[in-house]
Amino acid sequence: MTTVVTYGTFDLFHIGHVRLLKRLHSLGDRLVVGLSSDEFNTVKGKNVVIPYEDRKEILLSCRYVDDVFQENCWEQKREDLEREGADIFAMGDDWIGKFDDLQDIVKVVYLPRTQDVSTTELKTVISEIQNEKIREVQSLTEHLNALIQRL
């Protein structure tokens, strides 16, 4: 049985995540995900929208994922890979070269990310929508204040 291990935050689960997990699963018989804790995401400078336990439940409901464990720090990867009996350690190609030091215990694979889809882009779009709504409310408030002053 070939075990594949990957890591990630998987916030705002989207089609890019599904496609990545599908490709990762196709590399072996068992896919295990190291899911970054909320605290570790803070250390990494990431603000998650969906809390850890919910992200874990979402991943476990995905047919490509066999198991999930918590990632709490950068340094735990070697121990995790050994504990899980990993044959392949795979990440998105935005991490190329970062984990080559693990090649002494596993095959390290970097897969291309899904084009034009990312959690960061989703958060940017949501923020732009939120900012537009704020501008609309401010404009409406200014208009109402002007009307009230004329009365």
Side-chain angles (χ1 to χ4, degrees):
M1 176 179 277
T2 301
T3 297
V4 179
V5 173
T6 193
Y7 289 81
T9 299
F10 296 94
D11 197 22
L12 299 177
F13 198 77
H14 54 73
I15 192 65
H17 292 138
V18 174
R19 290 176 182 164
L20 176 63
L21 293 169
K22 183 178 182 180
R23 286 182 294 169
L24 290 166
H25 185 266
S26 74
L27 296 175
D29 304 301
R30 178 173 171 257
L31 175 60
V32 181
V33 177
L35 181 62
S36 300
S37 68
D38 296 338
E39 297 78 17
F40 185 42
N41 278 310
T42 299
V43 169
K44 294 190 290 184
K46 290 184 175 185
N47 295 319
V48 292
V49 174
I50 301 173
Y52 174 84
E53 289 300 327
D54 293 349
R55 290 182 287 119
K56 180 178 179 180
E57 186 175 339
I58 290 166
L59 282 172
L60 287 170
S61 72
C62 180
R63 69 180 177 182
Y64 305 115
V65 176
D66 295 294
D67 202 5
V68 174
F69 62 85
Q70 189 166 308
E71 179 188 28
N72 297 303
C73 65
W74 295 111
E75 299 78 20
Q76 76 183 71
K77 286 183 177 49
R78 183 171 293 275
E79 181 181 316
D80 294 340
L81 295 169
E82 290 172 348
R83 182 191 65 244
E84 295 298 330
D87 301 287
I88 299 171
F89 172 61
M91 294 290 286
D93 63 2
D94 52 329
W95 291 98
I96 286 179
K98 302 277 195 244
F99 301 108
D100 290 351
D101 63 306
L102 298 170
Q103 290 180 19
D104 62 323
I105 60 169
V106 292
K107 178 180 179 182
V108 178
V109 176
Y110 301 101
L111 297 176
R113 295 175 61 94
T114 304
Q115 292 296 315
D116 303 322
V117 180
S118 77
T119 302
T120 301
E121 288 175 17
L122 287 174
K123 287 180 179 180
T124 299
V125 168
I126 291 167
S127 178
E128 288 172 5
I129 292 169
Q130 185 178 28
N131 289 339
E132 178 61 28
K133 293 294 181 192
I134 290 169
R135 285 190 294 274
E136 287 176 13
V137 169
Q138 288 171 335
S139 176
L140 178 60
T141 302
E142 290 168 7
H143 180 69
L144 289 173
N145 281 337
L147 285 175
I148 290 169
Q149 288 178 3
R150 281 189 234 146
L151 295 175

